[in-house]
Amino acid sequence: QVQLVESGGGLVQPGGSLRLSCAASGFTFSSKWMYWVRQAPGKGLEWVSSISTSGGTTRYADSVKGRFTISRDNTKNTLYLQMNSLKPEDTALYYCATTSVGSNKGQGTQVTVSS
């Protein structure tokens, strides 16, 4: 069955950076678009970014465009999210998923941006 395991979150000051990883198993990773979504405290699930099967096409929510970079390594079945210039409003539980609405998401990794 599909298994996604996120890691790399933590506490960071505003303006800082983090790199999230997502280890995928149980499906043919290289044949699926992949997604990062997040859920801030008290809010619903929000799509953050998408990447095509080859990594050649990427898309971002306006709120993270220019600051976040999604990438993937199909040889390692791993998805990444490089997050730079972090803001307090980026504080959320981050999930990787197989759809933009969070299908098959894992347990998530907490990102807290605070001074």
Side-chain angles (χ1 to χ4, degrees):
Q1 69 279 19
V2 174
Q3 186 172 16
L4 299 170
V5 179
E6 303 90 344
S7 63
L11 173 63
V12 63
Q13 292 188 342
S17 298
L18 283 173
R19 189 194 195 202
L20 307 184
S21 298
C22 170
S25 61
F27 66 105
T28 306
F29 179 75
S30 58
S31 68
K32 283 191 98 53
W33 277 66
M34 292 296 296
Y35 304 81
W36 285 100
V37 297
R38 67 185 181 185
Q39 187 163 23
K43 297 189 176 181
L45 210 58
E46 175 191 19
W47 167 76
V48 174
S49 183
S50 309
I51 188 167
S52 63
T53 54
S54 67
T57 300
T58 57
R59 295 176 182 152
Y60 299 93
D62 287 344
S63 58
V64 308
K65 201 172 295 182
R67 301 187 296 121
F68 291 11
T69 302
I70 191 172
S71 62
R72 66 191 297 161
D73 186 338
N74 286 341
T75 66
K76 296 181 178 178
N77 287 354
T78 303
L79 179 71
Y80 303 100
L81 187 68
Q82 177 67 43
M83 305 187 297
N84 299 329
S85 302
L86 282 161
K87 304 176 180 180
E89 52 263 43
D90 294 317
T91 294
L93 194 56
Y94 283 72
Y95 304 92
C96 63
T98 57
T99 71
S100 62
V101 293
S103 301
N104 297 309
K105 66 184 186 294
Q107 83 291 344
T109 186
Q110 178 67 41
V111 172
T112 302
V113 185
S114 175
S115 55

